[in-house]
């Protein structure tokens, strides 16, 4: 503090001030407003939360959301780990190609990708025709406008988000540890199971947290590919607020969604440790 000349600290304070203001104005105040709606619309009380606790349809939407998000997380992280593992031991040119294909989906709109999957998975689409050509199906399999279609689209959307933290985690593994394991007679599978995967566990947990949280709020992909038959919580909130004008129930569901996100962050933090999850400890 003594190294700063008089008047310097107030200047730094003014530079930092917009960040807390942005948090308060952009996040805290709207959240408090939504919380107020959940208790005040259509009248003061806890009737909206009571409806969530008593309504079997609302509970089914919540459980469907959790089920799809968990499946999306597990499949996306598994695929992303394979991609990151291949990147870890690839040549420099191979790494560049992998990075290009990982970043390429970010250049396309979520809406475009969802419509592309809708065309591919629909009856008579390329995937459906390919499966019919194998002779395994007598009729076009239902690949879209259901939970399977929503799951496929969400996995495709989430894999790049899982790859990025995994690349950072796998890059930090010391090659000398792998060589030492091999020189002591460990097989490739033993080295992978006992050394490589445990050292990259923080990256796996971070990728899982990112994918799960993003999946909870996913709206466009499940709405298009689910066709209303696999409505998730974000889509249901949209319907309640903007189609049925049921702002109180929609606000209560938004608070429930936010609590799920917070609970997810706390759970992952307890599982792996907050400092490791935030990347503040060395491997």
């Amino acid at each position: 503090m003594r190294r700063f000349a008089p008047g310097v600290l107030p200047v730094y304070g003014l530079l930092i001030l917009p960040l807390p203001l942005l948090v308060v104005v952009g996040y805290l105040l709207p959240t408090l407003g939504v919380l107020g709606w959940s208790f005040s619309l259509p009248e003061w009380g806890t009737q909206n939360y009571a409806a969530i606790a008593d309504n079997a349809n609302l509970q089914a939407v919540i459980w469907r959301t959790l089920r799809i998000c968990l499946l999306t997380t597990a499949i996306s992280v598994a695929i992303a780990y394979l991609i990151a593992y291949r990147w870890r031991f690839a040549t420099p040119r191979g790494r560049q190609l992998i990075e290009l294909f990982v970043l390429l989906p970010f250049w396309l709109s979520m809406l475009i990708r969802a419509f592309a999957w809708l065309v591919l998975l629909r009856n008579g689409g390329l995937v459906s025709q390919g499966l019919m050509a194998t002779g395994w199906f007598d009729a076009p399999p239902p690949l879209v406008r259901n939970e399977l279609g929503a799951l496929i689209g969400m996995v495709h959307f989430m894999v790049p988000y899982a790859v990025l933290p995994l690349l950072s985690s796998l890059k930090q593994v010391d090659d000398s540890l792998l060589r030492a394991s091999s020189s002591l007679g460990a097989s490739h599978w033993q080295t992978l199971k006992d050394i490589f995967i445990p050292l990259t566990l923080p990256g796996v947990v971070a990728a899982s947290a990112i994918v799960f949280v993003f999946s909870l709020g996913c709206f466009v992909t499940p709405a298009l590919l689910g066709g209303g038959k696999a409505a998730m919580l974000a889509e249901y909130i949209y319907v309640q607020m903007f189609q049925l004008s049921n702002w109180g129930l929609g606000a209560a569901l938004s608070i429930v969604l936010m609590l799920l996100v917070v609970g997810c962050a706390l759970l992952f933090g307890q599982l792996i440790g907050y400092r490791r999850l935030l990347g503040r400890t060395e491997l």
Side-chain angles (χ1 to χ4, degrees):
M1 297 290 289
R2 295 176 181 176
R3 292 181 301 175
F4 291 100
V8 173
L9 283 178
V11 173
Y12 278 96
L14 290 176
L15 293 175
I16 298 173
L17 184 61
L19 181 59
L21 285 178
L22 176 63
V23 172
V24 172
V25 176
Y27 295 95
L28 182 58
L29 292 181
T31 301
L32 292 177
V34 172
L35 181 62
W37 290 349
S38 68
F39 286 103
S40 61
L41 296 177
E43 58 185 17
W44 281 100
T46 60
Q47 65 276 1
N48 293 315
Y49 294 97
I52 296 175
D54 297 334
N55 193 313
N57 291 330
L58 292 176
Q59 294 175 10
V61 171
I62 294 174
W63 287 115
R64 183 189 303 119
T65 300
L66 293 175
R67 180 173 64 251
I68 294 177
C69 290
L70 287 172
L71 288 173
T72 299
T73 301
I75 297 172
S76 299
V77 173
I79 295 174
Y81 197 95
L82 295 176
I83 296 173
Y85 185 83
R86 182 67 185 90
W87 175 91
R88 175 64 175 76
F89 298 101
T91 62
R93 183 173 179 80
R95 288 187 175 185
Q96 291 178 355
L97 288 175
I98 294 174
E99 292 168 1
L100 174 63
F101 285 112
V102 169
L103 295 175
L104 189 61
F106 289 107
W107 303 344
L108 298 175
S109 167
M110 181 195 300
L111 189 62
I112 294 175
R113 281 182 277 175
F115 274 118
W117 276 115
L118 190 63
V119 173
L120 289 173
L121 298 177
R122 65 182 177 85
N123 291 344
L126 183 62
V127 176
S128 178
Q129 289 180 352
L131 292 175
M132 290 286 291
T134 63
W136 296 345
F137 299 92
D138 297 328
L143 300 176
V144 74
R145 294 186 177 88
N146 51 30
E147 287 191 22
L148 178 60
L151 180 63
I152 292 173
M154 289 181 62
V155 167
H156 175 251
F157 179 74
M158 295 297 172
V159 164
Y161 290 98
V163 169
L164 296 178
L166 286 171
L167 291 181
S168 176
S169 181
L170 269 63
K171 185 179 180 180
Q172 298 180 45
V173 177
D174 193 347
D175 288 335
S176 62
L177 297 176
L178 306 181
R179 291 193 296 267
S181 176
S182 178
S183 65
L184 292 174
S187 64
H188 180 76
W189 168 247
Q190 288 175 321
T191 301
L192 178 66
K193 177 174 63 73
D194 298 331
I195 296 178
F196 197 84
I197 292 180
L199 288 177
T200 57
L201 187 59
V204 173
V205 176
S208 300
I210 291 172
V211 172
F212 188 79
V213 170
F214 280 14
S215 298
L216 282 174
C218 197
F219 171 72
V220 175
T221 300
L224 288 177
L225 297 176
K229 298 179 180 179
M232 295 176 59
L233 198 51
E235 181 183 357
Y236 199 86
I237 292 172
Y238 173 84
V239 171
Q240 291 297 318
M241 285 188 164
F242 297 103
Q243 294 186 7
L244 302 179
S245 297
N246 194 349
W247 289 83
L249 181 58
L253 289 171
S254 299
I255 297 300
V256 170
L257 180 59
M258 185 183 69
L259 292 177
L260 288 175
V261 172
V262 173
C264 170
L266 294 176
L267 175 61
F268 280 109
Q270 288 292 330
L271 287 176
I272 199 63
Y274 295 103
R275 294 183 63 86
R276 295 185 70 190
L277 183 62
L278 296 174
R280 295 183 179 177
T281 56
E282 299 293 334
L283 291 172

